[in-house]
């Protein structure tokens, strides 16, 4: 793996760390099987592209992207809380609806180019782009660090603890006076805001906002969370969020290695096999706990 490919894997991994943090909130903390992420990701990218195209500052455009994602997550939660639709079905409904919404926001175009548009990286990248390969990962890392620290703080506040209690035992939390409906809506809004922010950053690094860029986003997020939890099993929220970030970076580095390894390429592995590799990595990560249990059983007693 070349140095540029390594930094590229780090950069993409950090972008998907935001997705992993969002998936962590919905799946792990709220216990809400949310598929909205597959459309929230391109929603963030398209809202960013349209905003920048209208002359909005890139940093403000990222905020607009996050707010659009928050609205999508809140809509999914409202379908469940307000209309009593199953969480999985609510996510599917919003995901399908957002495809049309994304197209409408983009003016009917499935792809919006961003090659000559300003980005959050523009102030830090040299005119000849000589430092782009390492500057962009640093800027994305700043976004991820800020998101992680804010989540660590939020989930230790009274409201954040109420969100966590809702995910652990909704009935018990309601008995303690927690408005679980509002907590679910808040948590889902926060989750998809992070996913959409990741989409906005991904669009800036790839040079375009594509309506199909969200395909498999939820699987990637789950893979990152699962890998991270197996690498760094923990209960404290500060380590739980750290595990999601580490899992996303490790996942993307494994993908970069698989796609850039000569031996695997000789075996027929191609970039088009990305989703297949993702599925294999998820299956492998899910097997780690059982393998650990078997190894412990085989160890002789002292």
């Amino acid at each position: 793996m070349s140095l540029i490919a390594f930094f590229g894997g780090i950069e993409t991994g950090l972008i998907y760390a935001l997705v992993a943090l969002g998936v962590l909130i919905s799946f792990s903390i709220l216990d809400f099987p949310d598929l909205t992420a597959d459309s929230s990701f391109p929603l963030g990218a398209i809202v960013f592209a349209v905003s920048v195209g209208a002359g909005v500052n890139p940093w403000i455009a990222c905020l607009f992207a996050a707010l659009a994602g928050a609205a999508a997550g809140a809509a999914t939660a409202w379908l469940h809380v307000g209309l009593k639709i199953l969480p999985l079905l609510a996510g599917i409904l919003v995901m399908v609806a957002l495809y049309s919404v994304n197209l409408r926001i983009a003016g009917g175009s499935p792809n919006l180019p961003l090659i000559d548009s300003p980005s959050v990286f523009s102030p830090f990248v040299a005119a000849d782009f000589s430092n782009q390969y390492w500057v962009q990962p640093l800027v994305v890392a700043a976004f991820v660090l800020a998101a992680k620290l804010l989540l660590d703080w939020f989930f230790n506040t009274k409201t954040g603890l109420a969100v966590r209690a809702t995910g652990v035992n909704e009935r018990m939390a309601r008995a303690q006076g927690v408005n679980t409906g509002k907590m679910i809506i808040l948590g889902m809004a926060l989750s998809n805001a992070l996913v959409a922010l990741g989409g906005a950053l991904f669009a800036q690094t790839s040079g375009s906002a594509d309506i199909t860029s969200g395909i498999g986003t939820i699987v990637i997020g789950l893979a990152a969370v699962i890998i991270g939890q197996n690498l760094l099993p923990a209960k404290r929220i500060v380590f739980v969020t750290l595990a999601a970030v580490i899992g996303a970076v490790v996942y993307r580095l494994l993908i970069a290695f698989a796609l850039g390894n000569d031996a695997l390429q000789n075996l027929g592995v191609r970039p088009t096999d990305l989703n297949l590799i993702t599925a294999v990595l998820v299956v492998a990560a899910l097997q780690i706990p059982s393998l650990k249990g078997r190894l412990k059983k085989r160890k002789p007693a002292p």
Side-chain angles (χ1 to χ4, degrees):
M1 187 191 308
S2 67
L3 184 63
I4 293 179
F6 174 77
F7 276 106
I10 294 290
E11 177 185 293
T12 309
L14 288 170
I15 289 173
Y16 278 106
L18 293 171
V19 175
L21 289 172
V23 171
L24 175 74
I25 295 171
S26 58
F27 276 81
S28 298
I29 294 179
L30 276 178
D31 194 23
F32 194 109
D34 178 35
L35 298 182
T36 316
D38 275 19
S39 288
S40 293
F41 191 81
L43 173 65
I46 290 168
V47 168
F48 174 86
V50 171
S51 299
V52 168
V56 177
N57 181 281
W59 297 89
I60 303 299
C62 283
L63 176 61
F64 288 168
L67 291 175
T76 299
W78 178 80
L79 287 178
H80 170 61
V81 174
L83 302 183
K84 307 302 179 184
I85 297 175
L86 291 175
L88 188 62
L89 181 56
I92 292 173
L93 289 172
V94 174
M95 178 183 68
V96 172
L98 279 179
Y99 185 85
S100 297
V101 172
N102 289 341
L103 273 175
R104 184 172 287 273
I105 295 173
S109 175
N111 186 285
L112 298 176
L114 290 169
I115 298 297
D116 297 323
S117 301
S119 70
V120 295
F121 308 113
S122 299
F124 310 103
V125 176
D128 59 355
F129 302 103
S130 58
N131 63 347
Q132 183 180 28
Y133 73 96
W134 62 267
V135 165
Q136 289 190 178
L138 283 179
V139 176
V140 178
F143 275 91
V144 175
L145 179 61
K148 184 205 177 311
L149 293 177
L150 285 172
L151 287 180
D152 293 342
W153 167 80
F154 171 73
F155 283 116
N156 282 297
T157 63
K158 185 177 180 180
T159 303
L161 290 172
V163 173
R164 294 165 66 181
T166 299
V168 172
N169 191 324
E170 185 175 348
R171 183 178 296 180
M172 182 63 70
R174 195 181 301 114
Q176 296 298 319
V178 175
N179 188 330
T180 55
K182 287 184 178 179
M183 295 303 105
I184 292 173
I185 292 174
L186 175 61
M188 289 294 294
L190 185 58
S191 168
N192 283 275
L194 290 170
V195 174
L197 178 59
L201 292 175
F202 184 80
Q204 294 170 74
T205 59
S206 63
S208 68
D210 197 296
I211 197 169
T212 63
S213 61
I215 296 176
T217 298
I218 190 64
V219 177
I220 295 173
L222 281 173
V225 170
I226 293 169
I227 292 172
Q229 288 178 344
N230 282 290
L231 291 176
L232 184 63
K235 297 293 185 181
R236 292 183 60 187
I237 193 67
V238 63
F239 294 116
V240 171
T241 53
L242 178 62
V245 173
I246 292 174
V249 174
V250 170
Y251 163 77
R252 286 306 308 187
L253 287 176
L254 289 174
I255 291 292
F257 173 78
L259 296 178
N261 185 271
D262 292 335
L264 291 176
Q265 287 183 356
N266 291 334
L267 292 175
V269 176
R270 297 289 181 268
T272 52
D273 298 324
L274 178 60
N275 287 342
L276 175 61
I277 296 171
T278 298
V280 171
L281 287 175
V282 172
V283 171
L286 288 171
Q287 294 303 307
I288 291 176
S290 61
L291 288 174
K292 286 181 178 179
R294 292 174 188 173
L295 290 175
K296 286 182 179 179
K297 289 181 180 179
R298 289 183 180 180
K299 285 184 179 180

